[in-house]
Amino acid sequence: MGVIQRTYTATDDCGNESEAVQYITLLDNTPPVIENPEDSTIECDEVGELIDPESIDIYDNCGLEVDVVFTETIEEGICEDSYTIVWHWVATDYCDNVSEATTNITVQDTTNPVFVEGPDDVTVECSDELPGVVYPIATDNCDEDVVIEMTEETLGGDCPQEYTLQRIYRAFDNCGNQAIYVQ
């Protein structure tokens, strides 16, 4: 970083002088400090709550500016809402000391869809027409479109004309989480 030269002059009572020179060499062998966040695992609906990765503290022991290169990559996971965000910083100070830091944010979807509205149970006479299929409505914390599948099962009653038709609705998000609604 530089050299400081100090000259000391000593003079006695008779006017005799003597000089000494001191050289102080300033070095910077310390790389910058990157205070990156720790690795973490979050739900897919928490991605919007992440800190701004470019706002983290990066500083140099000599107090000078630091050149920072930041990159963000996305590593695919097992489904659309399951992936890893990789933040990587490279910081270089004026003396070309370099620090690197990486933070991995694992994004997952472990939350089942939720049925918010569905058909009511009904009782009909054996001579009445069965009500048509009315699909329930389901929402998910990360998916806009929830897939709903329906199966029917007939459960016998006390006589041949008496039975229960059970409609089972399954709501799936794009990571395979599911919820069940029975009519």
Side-chain angles (χ1 to χ4, degrees):
M1 286 220 15
V3 175
I4 297 174
Q5 178 183 335
R6 291 183 180 160
T7 304
Y8 301 93
T9 305
T11 307
D12 65 15
D13 290 338
C14 294
N16 299 314
E17 287 186 0
S18 178
E19 268 190 9
V21 178
Q22 176 188 29
Y23 295 96
I24 301 171
T25 304
L26 301 173
L27 299 176
D28 180 5
N29 294 321
T30 305
V33 175
I34 303 172
E35 293 184 354
N36 62 309
E38 293 182 17
D39 292 349
S40 61
T41 299
I42 62 173
E43 275 292 308
C44 51
D45 58 347
E46 297 173 326
V47 171
E49 299 169 20
L50 291 173
I51 64 163
D52 179 1
E54 295 187 31
S55 70
I56 67 160
D57 289 330
I58 300 174
Y59 54 90
D60 186 56
N61 65 320
C62 294
L64 300 173
E65 285 190 34
V66 178
D67 181 39
V68 179
V69 175
F70 169 76
T71 57
E72 176 181 277
T73 57
I74 306 293
E75 297 175 356
E76 290 185 16
I78 57 171
C79 62
E80 184 178 332
D81 290 319
S82 176
Y83 53 92
T84 301
I85 301 170
V86 180
W87 289 342
H88 186 77
W89 296 268
V90 178
T92 307
D93 68 13
Y94 276 92
C95 291
D96 293 328
N97 297 306
V98 177
S99 289
E100 291 190 46
T102 301
T103 297
N104 294 297
I105 302 163
T106 303
V107 179
Q108 61 185 9
D109 182 1
T110 61
T111 303
N112 293 331
V114 175
F115 283 101
V116 294
E117 186 179 315
D120 294 327
D121 293 342
V122 294
T123 301
V124 296
E125 285 292 321
C126 61
S127 60
D128 292 341
E129 195 173 311
L130 289 174
V133 174
V134 176
Y135 279 85
I137 297 171
T139 62
D140 188 68
N141 63 326
C142 296
D143 300 334
E144 286 187 29
D145 298 318
V146 177
V147 175
I148 299 176
E149 297 176 356
M150 193 258 318
T151 57
E152 289 183 333
E153 188 176 307
T154 302
L155 308 171
D158 293 335
C159 67
Q161 289 79 23
E162 183 180 285
Y163 62 91
T164 300
L165 178 63
Q166 190 175 61
R167 292 179 176 154
I168 303 168
Y169 301 91
R170 286 184 171 79
F172 297 92
D173 67 16
N174 65 24
C175 286
N177 299 305
Q178 68 172 311
I180 297 174
Y181 182 90
V182 179
Q183 175 194 26

